[in-house]
Amino acid sequence: MKINLTNRHFKGSDALQEAVEKAALNFTQYHDNIISTEAVLEKHESGDSVEFIVHVGGGTVVAKETESDLYKAMHAASDHVIRQLQKIKAK
């Protein structure tokens, strides 16, 4: 699976990059046919946001969450993607 990470308005640390990659690789436990994952991390005045765009065979799953901390936003968006992947697999 291909993972593409984009940081907007800041330079991300190696630890943050590893955490995003770990979260993206975790998606494969919930769906077998994941082609690629894009993660967009942004810093705003109103908070930090993380968006996952997961390309699955037959569709795309998108989840965007904004929190006070990038790690909180990443975990919330990751949970959102997992719920969507479980719904797709159950069909």
Side-chain angles (χ1 to χ4, degrees):
M1 174 178 66
K2 181 181 169 188
I3 301 171
N4 185 20
L5 175 63
T6 304
N7 297 317
R8 291 187 182 158
H9 310 296
F10 76 104
K11 179 159 173 43
S13 66
D14 291 337
L16 182 62
Q17 182 176 351
E18 288 176 20
V20 170
E21 288 176 359
K22 184 177 177 182
L25 289 173
N26 189 36
F27 298 155
T28 58
Q29 293 179 355
Y30 301 96
H31 200 286
D32 299 331
N33 197 14
I34 296 177
I35 299 166
S36 66
T37 300
E38 298 174 44
V40 180
L41 285 64
E42 291 186 78
K43 288 217 179 232
H44 301 277
E45 291 178 8
S46 59
D48 300 335
S49 67
V50 175
E51 179 178 25
F52 283 112
I53 304 165
V54 181
H55 300 281
V56 187
T60 302
V61 172
V62 178
K64 184 173 184 176
E65 297 291 336
T66 302
E67 294 284 343
S68 60
D69 179 47
L70 273 171
Y71 287 97
K72 288 180 184 178
M74 181 187 60
H75 289 297
S78 175
D79 290 343
H80 194 173
V81 168
I82 289 169
R83 283 193 305 274
Q84 292 183 53
L85 290 174
Q86 289 172 332
K87 285 181 184 179
I88 290 172
K89 193 171 183 178
K91 287 183 180 181

